[in-house]
Amino acid sequence: MIDRKNIYVDYISDVALEISISHIWRKRIFNLKKDEILQISSKDEDIIPEYIKDVIVNNHLIFCVKIIDSCEEAFDEGLVIFKFYSEEFPEIISYSGNNPNII
């Protein structure tokens, strides 16, 4: 049997990268209200970037993303931090720093 936790561990960084550079997803994330969470799942198959689509859809993975004020990773001043995590295993986390002037 496939270890679901390992799938999340293996793909969390790819999901954070691919979603962070997607114009569609960036717009959705930047429009989040404070403490609002956006899910990325097979329900979004039509707009999931190709590189990560199969693993999310075929394994019925659910990733969450929200904007946070700070984290243990260092990012340049002025960047907005996206926190990505597994809904099923919330301890599996990845962050990305994003320029709010680029959607």
Side-chain angles (χ1 to χ4, degrees):
M1 181 171 179
I2 297 173
D3 182 355
R4 291 183 61 75
K5 189 170 187 175
N6 283 339
I7 295 171
Y8 279 109
V9 168
D10 290 346
Y11 284 94
I12 187 76
S13 294
D14 291 339
V15 169
L17 174 66
E18 293 294 321
I19 295 297
S20 293
I21 62 173
S22 164
H23 297 293
I24 293 168
W25 286 99
R26 286 179 70 80
K27 185 174 182 178
R28 293 176 82 186
I29 296 167
F30 276 117
N31 283 328
L32 292 174
K33 294 175 177 58
K34 185 165 177 60
D35 297 323
E36 193 174 11
I37 297 167
L38 182 65
Q39 287 190 338
I40 303 155
S41 71
S42 59
K43 294 177 187 175
D44 304 300
E45 182 175 4
D46 292 344
I47 58 171
I48 295 174
E50 287 298 320
Y51 185 73
I52 56 172
K53 181 187 295 191
D54 287 346
V55 74
I56 292 173
V57 172
N58 294 340
N59 295 289
H60 305 286
L61 304 180
I62 300 174
F63 291 92
C64 299
V65 60
K66 65 181 183 176
I67 294 174
I68 60 172
D69 293 329
S70 64
C71 68
E72 59 270 7
E73 292 184 23
F75 291 100
D76 290 341
E77 184 74 29
L79 294 182
V80 175
I81 303 168
F82 296 170
K83 176 183 179 180
F84 292 85
Y85 58 96
S86 158
E87 182 181 71
E88 199 171 344
F89 305 98
E91 68 275 13
I92 300 171
I93 300 169
S94 187
Y95 302 97
S96 68
N98 300 272
N99 183 337
N101 297 318
I102 299 173
I103 303 291

